Amino acid sequence: MLVVAFEGWNDAGEAATGAVRVLQEQLDVTAIFEIDPELYYDYQFNRPVIAVDDDGKRRITWPTATLYGPSAPAADTDAPAPLADDADLSVSGSNGGNIFLLVGSEPSRSWKAFTAEIIDAALTHDISTIVFLGAMLADVPHTRPISIFASSENDEMRGELQLERSSYEGPVGILSVLAEAAEQAGISTLSIWASVPHYVHNAPSPKAVLALIDKLEEIVDVVIPRGDLVEESGEWENGINALAGDDEDMAAYIAQLEQARDTVESPEASGEAIAKEFERYLRRSGDGKGDGRNEPPARG
């Protein structure tokens, strides 16, 4: 199984890449493939970064995407992909579940060639399932659980995991391009998206990282150590509460979002009420308040 996240459009609050970085820290993985940045990145948009390394030398790091694989792959088997009812994996140490990771910056150009390289690498390493992690800015309150939407374009996977099919139509990021190419190559895919409060989009969101990890753990049936994420999530929420406490307009807006969220999720909520709330979200997203860059997983 390959878990994928990219910085940029698909990564509000750095939630998706943050979740993959957590996996990278917990798994025994090593870099096995790296995209050539000269081919796919505009350095005026994704600038290289200079920093001092462990040896005290200043070195430049170029934007790229890196595929990580198990340092000591488990023996090949004919078992199905490690999905919810089929495996009991513990994500730690030896990485016996043969989980691969792909993380990096969204490419600036030549998406078709970029996608071909990634799919070729996935096929080379016998990847049978790809899980795409994403995060979008949304009209949601930070005080409630982070909304998560999981979907798949694969009929078999939707039936097995009781997932929905996204009905979104509009501009897409690299995740959608990779997902379509993977399905065409015979690799099953699913997507997990987190909704990050748009009024705190400039700050990393550990609460959204935690929500993505929770959902990944639920779907794939893995055990993922949380580290300091729970504590960091609480501090993140408390920090926003403190800001709202000094800003009446912000506090009033958050209260409106809380009321809308509670209405939609109440046991008495009708399908019509939920549809109206979603229509309101779409209207707000289309009037220039949103950044227009995300791929909202509309349920239709």
Side-chain angles (χ1 to χ4, degrees):
M1 182 182 69
L2 171 62
V3 183
V4 177
F6 283 93
E7 301 167 0
W9 259 30
N10 316 280
D11 195 30
E14 301 175 17
T17 53
V20 173
R21 297 296 185 193
V22 170
L23 289 173
Q24 185 182 349
E25 292 173 359
Q26 299 296 334
L27 292 170
D28 183 13
V29 294
T30 186
I32 58 177
F33 173 76
E34 188 171 278
I35 286 290
D36 182 355
E38 289 291 307
L39 302 176
Y40 303 111
Y41 293 96
D42 180 344
Y43 297 142
Q44 290 186 324
F45 182 75
N46 293 105
R47 290 187 178 272
V49 177
I50 192 166
V52 178
D53 65 12
D54 294 338
D55 297 326
K57 297 180 179 180
R58 288 163 57 83
R59 298 194 182 277
I60 292 177
T61 300
W62 298 89
T64 187
T66 304
L67 177 67
Y68 297 88
S71 299
D76 291 338
T77 69
D78 294 327
L83 296 175
D85 296 329
D86 303 316
D88 183 13
L89 303 177
S90 178
V91 175
S92 61
S94 64
N95 190 16
N98 280 356
I99 295 177
F100 291 72
L101 308 172
L102 176 64
V103 64
S105 301
E106 184 178 57
S108 307
R109 54 178 175 260
S110 302
W111 280 20
K112 291 182 179 180
F114 179 92
T115 297
E117 283 203 44
I118 297 300
I119 297 303
D120 183 63
L123 293 172
T124 298
H125 294 284
D126 297 323
I127 299 296
S128 60
T129 301
I130 301 180
V131 180
F132 296 100
L133 301 184
M136 64 177 180
L137 301 177
D139 293 344
V140 293
H142 72 281
T143 53
R144 299 294 186 265
I146 295 292
S147 297
I148 295 290
F149 180 72
S151 64
S152 177
E153 294 299 306
N154 185 279
D155 293 337
E156 183 177 346
M157 185 164 290
R158 286 202 306 274
E160 180 181 355
L161 299 178
Q162 301 300 302
L163 300 176
E164 297 182 44
R165 187 175 194 174
S166 175
S167 60
Y168 172 75
E169 295 180 330
V172 298
I174 192 63
L175 295 184
S176 294
V177 178
L178 284 169
E180 181 181 84
E183 289 288 346
Q184 291 176 352
I187 302 174
S188 58
T189 67
L190 67 94
S191 299
I192 304 174
W193 282 76
S195 295
V196 178
H198 71 85
Y199 52 89
V200 288
H201 64 87
N202 289 328
S205 177
K207 189 172 182 178
V209 172
L210 186 61
L212 283 171
I213 288 177
D214 287 344
K215 191 62 176 181
L216 180 65
E217 190 175 73
E218 173 191 334
I219 288 180
V220 185
D221 195 17
V222 297
V223 178
I224 306 171
R226 302 299 195 272
D228 297 326
L229 270 178
V230 175
E231 180 180 348
E232 291 172 358
S233 297
E235 293 174 352
W236 175 82
E237 186 168 332
N238 290 336
I240 301 170
N241 288 340
L243 290 174
D246 295 329
D247 188 329
E248 292 184 2
D249 291 338
M250 183 179 182
Y253 178 64
I254 292 172
Q256 292 177 0
L257 295 179
E258 291 173 336
Q259 182 179 5
R261 174 71 175 271
D262 294 343
T263 298
V264 169
E265 294 190 347
S266 68
E268 299 82 12
S270 65
E272 182 178 356
I274 294 174
K276 286 182 178 179
E277 281 300 324
F278 186 70
E279 288 172 2
R280 287 179 57 211
Y281 162 72
L282 290 180
R283 287 196 296 271
R284 288 193 296 269
S285 297
D287 65 5
K289 294 180 180 179
D291 63 7
R293 301 180 308 163
N294 298 294
E295 304 164 49
R299 306 185 187 203

